Amino acid sequence: MSRILIVEDEQRIASFVEKGLRANGFSTTVVGDGETAIDYAVTGGFDLVVLDLGLPDRDGFSVLRALREAKVTAPVIILTARDSVHDTVAGLEGGADDYMTKPFRFEELLARVRLRLRGPERAPEVTVLRHEDLSLDLRSRRAQLPGQVVDLTAREFALLELFLRHPGQVLAREQILSHVWGYDFDPGSNVVDVYVRALRKKVGAERIDTVRGMGYRLGR
């Protein structure tokens, strides 16, 4: 099981990232300041670091620099509200392996985490998800049914990917919201129902079941 250090002082975002990573089989530790992050990371006990730049005690860039100076080789994915080209370049040149701006979708973060953790000895990353005669190409971002290519919007793609990664599992509306729409979602919104209806029209209504009072499920 890969171990991930989450360095984020905003509790809501830290909890969102931690819950999502744990649900996907990762072991996580959360810290909220730079000094503690350095103390934890230099132990060598982590396979990857998710690092926020806006920490309360010191800038994330200085934390990154300290980690690299201490010969910490674990991949570092930066999370930040800063979206300027200058900051992106500074992060990557400072030793970061990837850079994501907030707000972000968890599925995108998860894909980047998996990519950075994949060593040469690991199996190749899955690029096509399948369930019965429905497939989803993660590169072309298109679904395919027998004799038919299905074009999807960005949200429809993320929603179908989530279903295909959890076939037969009931997914609560709140779970779908957090994965597809990110941490800035309105729990009272009916947007999930709207997109499920749209997705059913494209891939077949019989494929996605409504589990009353619980959520939705792909297949049985």
Side-chain angles (χ1 to χ4, degrees), residues 9-75:
D9 65 312
E10 189 171 338
Q11 186 175 358
R12 181 169 59 101
I13 299 176
S15 176
F16 166 70
V17 173
E18 181 183 33
K19 288 178 180 177
L21 290 175
R22 286 191 172 183
N24 282 274
F26 296 99
S27 172
T28 60
T29 299
V30 177
V31 298
D33 64 88
E35 290 298 331
T36 305
I38 295 170
D39 290 343
Y40 275 60
V42 297
T43 65
F46 296 93
D47 301 297
L48 182 140
V49 179
V50 176
L51 174 64
D52 178 43
L53 291 185
L55 300 172
D57 58 336
R58 58 188 295 175
D59 188 85
F61 285 129
S62 71
V63 174
L64 175 61
R65 187 163 53 250
L67 296 184
R68 294 314 186 210
E69 289 175 353
K71 309 302 181 185
V72 174
T73 59

Side-chain angles (χ1 to χ4, degrees), residues 29 68 121 126 136 211 218:
T29 299
R68 294 314 186 210
E121 74 285 355
V126 173
L136 181 67
V211 182
L218 177 67

Side-chain angles (χ1 to χ4, degrees), residues 4 7 12 24 35 46 60-61 72 76 86 114 138 145 147 149 158 161 163 178 187 189 195 204 208 215 218:
I4 299 178
V7 188
R12 181 169 59 101
N24 282 274
E35 290 298 331
F46 296 93
F61 285 129
V72 174
V76 175
H86 172 76
R114 286 174 169 156
L138 302 181
L145 293 167
V149 174
E161 180 184 0
F163 279 128
S178 67
S189 171
Y195 272 85
I208 303 173
L218 177 67

